[in-house]
Amino acid sequence: MQAKRGCLALLLIMSASPVWAHVGWTASLGFAEGLWHPWSGADHLLAMSALGFWAGRKKGRGRWLLPSLFLTGMVLGASLQALGVFSAAIAELWIALSLVMFAGVLVFWKNIDLRLAGTLALLLAMGHGMAHAAEMPANAQALFYGAGFLLGSVLLHMTGFMLGRGQHRYVRGLEVSLALGCAVLGAVGVAS
């Protein structure tokens, strides 16, 4: 029954129209807007939760290293985007590919070497950082917006982490549901 509810919730999240949209809702376009941004699109929501879940299943320093490297990659990607190195279209494709990779990590490669896992987390995060910067409103307060999206990402990582650390019998079902959501949304993004 729990697995059915999880799949239903995942389908409802993915049915948002349009899936990739991030809509502004604050007047100041600062910290609060940045904080909300990772929660406002299924792409970021799934990727950040998947990273947290993956870190939650790790032992030792992998638990903190993966989220730390992901945040570093986001800052690097946002900086490159702000410098005009990548286009918004590249960022969206990068995110779609990262979702497919997260699906693979959750199902097949969750126990890969920590150095490879850290490198992968850093690289996958760059697309999300690029998208955050590309989708930042022109009149936003960049420093506050950036601090907000980093905190919003940390909160999503923590949510995934807590789900991944769970010892109940539904952890595997959550992992498969999260991987399925990443795979489907990633495939849709790559195809479009």
Side-chain angles (χ1 to χ4, degrees):
M1 187 63 164
Q2 292 289 354
K4 288 181 183 177
R5 287 183 187 162
C7 287
L8 178 60
L10 185 61
L11 287 172
L12 289 173
I13 289 170
M14 291 173 50
S15 68
S17 176
V19 171
W20 303 90
H22 300 282
V23 179
W25 58 276
T26 62
S28 70
L29 296 175
F31 182 81
E33 178 73 20
L35 180 68
W36 176 249
H37 183 87
W39 295 81
S40 66
D43 50 349
H44 297 309
L45 189 70
L46 284 168
M48 309 289 168
S49 299
L51 183 278
F53 194 96
W54 183 26
R57 303 306 287 164
K58 287 289 201 191
K59 305 239 186 281
R61 64 185 189 155
R63 292 179 183 165
W64 61 265
L65 186 63
L66 293 179
S68 298
L69 287 171
F70 194 91
L71 294 172
T72 302
M74 282 182 24
V75 170
L76 180 60
S79 299
L80 291 172
Q81 180 65 38
L83 294 172
V85 175
F86 294 103
S87 70
I90 295 291
E92 292 299 331
L93 179 60
W94 200 314
I95 288 172
L97 292 172
S98 79
L99 289 170
V100 172
M101 289 298 295
F102 275 124
V105 163
L106 290 174
V107 174
F108 303 111
W109 308 307
K110 59 184 155 248
N111 294 320
I112 60 175
D113 176 72
L114 189 55
R115 287 176 294 215
L116 181 57
T119 302
L120 189 59
L122 183 80
L123 291 174
L124 295 179
M126 288 176 62
H128 294 273
M130 285 185 261
H132 288 313
E135 294 165 349
M136 181 175 66
N139 57 344
Q141 302 166 1
L143 185 61
F144 293 110
Y145 181 89
F149 86 63
L150 285 174
L151 180 58
S153 300
V154 167
L155 293 173
L156 278 169
H157 288 163
M158 289 172 57
T159 301
F161 184 88
M162 296 307 290
L163 291 171
R165 293 295 308 149
Q167 299 300 320
H168 50 80
R169 61 183 177 184
Y170 300 113
V171 170
R172 182 65 180 154
L174 288 169
E175 184 176 48
V176 170
S177 296
L178 191 54
L180 180 62
C182 286
V184 168
L185 194 59
V188 167
V190 169
S192 59

